[in-house]
Structure formats: C-alpha cells, structure tokens
Amino acid sequence: MVSESTDILIIGGGPAGATAGIALADAGYSGTIIEKQESVKNKICGEFYSPDCLSYLDAINGRQEFLSHDPSPIFELTVSFDGTPVRTTFYIPAYGLSRIKFDSTILTIAEKKGVIVRKGFEITDAGVNNGHVILTAQKRKTGEQQIFSTPYAIGATGAKSGSESLLVRPGKNGSKNSGAVAFKFHAECPGLNNTVELYFTSYGYVGIATIERGLINVCGLIDSNVIKSHDGNIETLLKEISNKDPLLRKRIESMKNKSSSITCSNLSFGIRSPKFKEILCIGDAAGSIHPFCGDGNAMALKSGLLAADVMREGIKNNWNRERTVQYFRRVWEQEFSSRIFTGSFVYRFLSKNSTRYASAFLTKLFPHVIHTVYSLTRDSKI
C-alpha cells in the first residue's frame, strides 16, 4: 500500500474541485486532486452557463479557453407551462457548452498550473488521525490501494460520485430523493439558435438549450413512475409530452442526428451536511440547486473560488482546521442558501397542476416574474 502526503487534498476533479485547485496554486499552495474517472466523462447537465461564469473564469484565467470552444451565446429564454409559452430576453447573454468540454477545460488548466491529478482513484474510507485527514483510495483498474494524508481536505465529489456518501449526508432545504429520473442527449435542430427553452408539464420538465457547433442539449427531470410506464424510452415519452405543447412538438419533430440518451436516478437537491467537521465541502457535495434554475455550473466555480479564499485566509491567520471549515460553511450558506431555497420552492410550485396553471396566467400577464426568479437564483441579472 502506497502512502502520500500533500498540503491540500481535493476529492473530485470536476469544475468545483479543479477551480479550487487552480486558485490555491495561483496563491502558491501545492495541492493534489483525487479524481474517480480516468478521463472526463459525459454528464447529465443543462449545459447552461450564467453570465457570471465568465467573471469566475477570469479569476482562474479560463475565459479564453472557454470561449475557444465556440459556445453558443444565449439571448432568449422561453418558458412554457402545458403549452402556454412566455418569452423573454437576457440583458446579458448566457452561454451553452457541452459539459465534457467544460470539465476538460477546467481540469486541464489545473494540471497546467501544477496541480497534481491522481486519476482513476475512488475514495473507499475517510477519517481523521493526529490532526490529519486520512483518506484511503483504490485504483479502479488495478485494485491498488493508496493512503493520502493531509492537514487540509476539500470535498468536491459531486452529488452522484459514489464517494459522496462517505463525506456528506442529506441536509436541509430539500436535500432528499426527488423521486425523479434525469435524462440528457444532444441533437441537431435546424432553425433553433441562441436560446434556452423550459417546458413544465405534469410529468416534470424538459429543457432545450443551444450549445456549440449548431447542436442542442435536451435534458429534463421526469417522475420515475412515468419513466417506468414508458419502459425507460425517453423518445416515446417526449413525443407524448409534446402532444400537449405545440412548440415542444415542433422541436421534437425537427430534431435529427440524436445522440444516445443518458439517465440518472436517486437524485437529491438542496443543502447537504458534511460528515466530517474537518473536511470543507464545495460544489454539489455542499449543496445543489434545482437543475431547472440553470445555475449549478456557476455555483461550482464560485464555491471553488470561495474555498480557496477561505483556506488562504485560514492558513495566513493560523486558524485551526475546524475554524476554517466552520467559517467557510457560513460564507457558503450566505452565498447560496437563499437561491437553493428559491429554486426548490419554485419547482414545487410548478410541479402541481393547479399552481402551474396559475403560473402560466401570471407570467403571461407579468413576464417580469421570470426575470425575478432568474435573478433570485444567481449572481447576475437576466
């Protein structure tokens, strides 16, 4: 069994963990990222990036790398409630880019900055001994075990990593099994440009966003019982949903060259509670906003930057690790808890037939309601 010591250990090489590693490297700290995958994998995601993502990318010198992938600028948002569409425009454009390109970009920047990335290792045990966080990891391909010892650890495992259950537990503000299945695929849809569309139905919601190279990302969250009743066939289900929404039907009928769908179940959203007071959790390991809000990627970047700022402050002022983690938790909740609560509340409102119909009526009369919800669930204005 191999042992390795490092100043700062980051568990998870997604956008949150990689961003924290970059910011700490820029401040002169050495760190190691333990990443479960050997290479970046496709993930279920709305692939929508709020305008504030660019400012967060500026903090890690990542704007140009992001824009080099030619992400689709997004100027328009359409929200449809059971066939009643309401359109609005963004004051500042958002962007659409596939997650596999986004994640690869951030992790590559981290490696170029000198952050060590141990790929293909999955955390199997975690604990604290003599003031150090001790993590046992196993190489997935070979079964080789390695022990990591560090005075400071950051948990950035995401919400569905397998290692997540070792570090966090469901917490408050709606972090529980949603009883829904998420799906995603890419396709071409001629004539659809620079837009994101959200379709709310009695089954759940469907989102369509333009991304790079003329592609669209189609994703959604559907009640698991509905998925089962359609034998897991996403295409058949979408056709049924679109029968009640002319605009969605137009999109579905226009799609071609679809990729295979990927799905994910046992999802939870909301604020999570760390199992170890010594490990600072960021990204979805700390908490996740409901996906219809489209702010998860921005929250990942921002939480990584916040973690690096707090850790630098703690080391500079000789705080003990527990104080550093507690302070970060307060900062994190001040930054994100209200938007997570707003997202959960609004989706519960939209998931009920009676209140969804009221939403359609209200937004038709007062489209600015959409701007308000958008603003309450992120840093930037619509």
Side-chain angles (χ1 to χ4, degrees):
M1 186 178 292
V2 179
S3 296
E4 180 177 329
S5 296
T6 182
D7 292 340
I8 300 170
L9 188 67
I10 301 169
I11 311 156
T19 297
I22 295 165
L24 286 165
D26 285 341
Y29 298 101
S30 61
T32 299
I33 292 175
I34 303 175
E35 169 53 40
K36 178 180 177 180
Q37 305 295 342
E38 289 283 356
S39 59
V40 176
K41 302 295 184 184
N42 192 14
K43 295 177 183 176
I44 295 177
C45 178
E47 301 184 337
F48 176 88
Y49 303 86
S50 302
D52 38 306
C53 283
L54 289 184
S55 64
Y56 304 150
L57 288 167
D58 283 339
I60 57 172
N61 296 313
R63 179 190 287 245
Q64 291 308 313
E65 286 83 352
F66 175 80
L67 295 177
S68 70
H69 295 299
D70 195 26
S72 169
I74 295 178
F75 303 111
E76 185 178 75
L77 168 64
T78 298
V79 181
S80 179
F81 305 95
D82 293 311
T84 304
V86 180
R87 289 183 175 84
T88 190
T89 55
F90 292 104
Y91 299 143
I92 305 172
Y95 289 91
L97 181 71
S98 58
R99 266 298 294 273
I100 196 165
K101 288 191 174 181
F102 181 66
D103 288 15
S104 295
T105 296
I106 307 301
L107 191 57
T108 298
I109 294 173
E111 292 178 298
K112 288 180 178 178
K113 290 290 182 75
V115 180
I116 298 170
V117 182
R118 302 294 188 203
K119 298 179 181 178
F121 279 95
E122 185 168 11
I123 301 297
T124 58
D125 194 22
V128 179
N129 186 31
N130 292 328
H132 275 61
V133 176
I134 309 298
L135 297 168
T136 303
Q138 185 175 56
K139 186 75 171 176
R140 301 177 74 197
K141 280 187 176 181
T142 65
E144 167 199 349
Q145 284 198 322
Q146 186 160 342
I147 294 178
F148 294 89
S149 175
T150 180
Y152 295 98
I154 296 175
T157 55
K160 294 292 293 182
S161 68
S163 300
E164 176 222 5
S165 60
L166 286 172
L167 302 181
V168 299
R169 58 175 62 91
K172 57 186 178 179
N173 286 2
S175 181
K176 58 183 179 180
N177 193 317
S178 66
V181 174
F183 71 89
K184 170 187 141 176
F185 64 87
H186 288 170
E188 296 175 4
C189 190
L192 191 62
N193 300 295
N194 308 114
T195 189
V196 60
E197 299 176 344
L198 297 174
Y199 299 88
F200 294 94
T201 77
S202 58
Y203 292 163
Y205 88 94
V206 177
I208 298 175
T210 53
I211 57 174
E212 73 275 13
R213 297 188 296 110
L215 295 173
I216 62 168
N217 179 57
V218 184
C219 64
L221 201 66
I222 303 296
D223 183 274
S224 58
N225 292 319
V226 175
I227 294 283
K228 290 177 184 177
S229 69
H230 290 76
D231 297 321
N233 191 314
I234 301 298
E235 188 168 350
T236 301
L237 174 60
L238 287 178
K239 286 181 179 178
E240 180 178 323
I241 293 175
S242 69
N243 286 333
K244 299 179 181 179
D245 193 310
L247 181 59
L248 180 58
R249 184 167 62 248
K250 177 182 177 181
R251 302 298 186 227
I252 298 297
E253 291 175 349
S254 300
M255 289 180 193
K256 59 182 182 179
N257 297 329
K258 299 176 187 174
S259 67
S260 299
S261 296
I262 57 174
T263 60
C264 183
S265 58
N266 298 320
L267 303 166
S268 65
F269 313 110
I271 297 175
R272 298 179 173 87
S273 301
K275 286 186 177 180
F276 297 94
K277 60 184 178 182
E278 296 86 358
I279 298 179
L280 185 155
C281 290
I282 63 176
D284 283 349
S288 50
I289 196 166
H290 198 284
F292 92 89
C293 298
D295 198 43
N297 292 318
M299 286 177 59
L301 295 174
K302 182 64 178 290
S303 67
L305 294 172
L306 285 175
D309 285 343
V310 169
M311 193 157 285
R312 288 197 302 264
E313 188 74 11
I315 294 172
K316 175 184 175 182
N317 293 297
N318 294 315
W319 295 348
N320 62 36
R321 185 175 52 236
E322 189 172 332
R323 179 183 176 184
T324 301
V325 173
Q326 288 176 347
Y327 179 70
F328 172 76
R329 193 65 184 179
R330 289 197 300 270
V331 171
W332 187 94
E333 291 201 1
Q334 288 172 0
E335 180 71 32
F336 299 120
S337 61
S338 63
R339 69 178 82 173
I340 288 175
F341 174 80
T342 299
S344 296
F345 175 81
V346 171
Y347 191 74
R348 285 196 296 270
F349 191 83
L350 296 176
S351 63
K352 298 177 181 178
N353 288 337
S354 58
T355 49
R356 190 170 60 257
Y357 297 147
S359 299
F361 179 76
L362 183 65
T363 54
K364 198 79 172 177
L365 286 178
F366 307 104
H368 196 76
V369 170
I370 298 174
H371 292 245
T372 300
V373 172
Y374 183 91
S375 297
L376 290 173
T377 54
R378 68 205 68 233
D379 275 351
S380 55
K381 304 296 183 184
I382 195 171

